[in-house]
Amino acid sequence: MNTVTKDFTVRDELYGLGQFAKYLAPGDVRLESSATENGVGNVVYRSRNGAYVAVLGNSTGSDSRVRVVVGGQKFVVTVPAGSFATYRWKGQDSRG
């Protein structure tokens, strides 16, 4: 906040932090993350109930198609330009 003009702005870092705060809980475990490639970074977590959460960030000026492969499942998504996208899904039951 600018104390002279009383203007308030939100820093870009808060949008990414918001994705983690909204979709993750204490006890969730980070499974995988990769270095940013072609402007898209990611991190995947597994919750205590076996569900997965992937947070993808696209820092480029154009939409990016991304293939996610985790927990016995795979899917392709389009992450909008300059944004974060969060995906949640249940893992496949491997008990047989």
Side-chain angles (χ1 to χ4, degrees), residues 13-89:
E13 294 87 6
L14 291 179
Y15 292 107
L17 182 60
Q19 293 299 303
F20 291 97
K22 184 173 182 178
Y23 294 102
L24 297 174
D28 290 354
V29 177
R30 184 182 67 84
L31 295 179
E32 180 98 21
S33 59
S34 7
T36 301
E37 185 174 323
N38 298 321
V40 178
N42 68 77
V43 61
V44 178
Y45 290 84
R46 184 171 185 151
S47 68
R48 288 178 283 166
N49 70 1
Y52 294 91
V53 176
V55 179
L56 309 173
N58 180 358
S59 63
T60 70
S62 59
D63 296 353
S64 294
R65 288 180 54 82
V66 176
R67 182 174 59 157
V68 177
V69 181
V70 175
Q73 298 191 9
K74 58 185 171 184
F75 52 92
V76 176
V77 296
T78 299
V79 182
S83 67
F84 288 91
T86 302
Y87 301 92
R88 296 186 297 176
W89 68 97

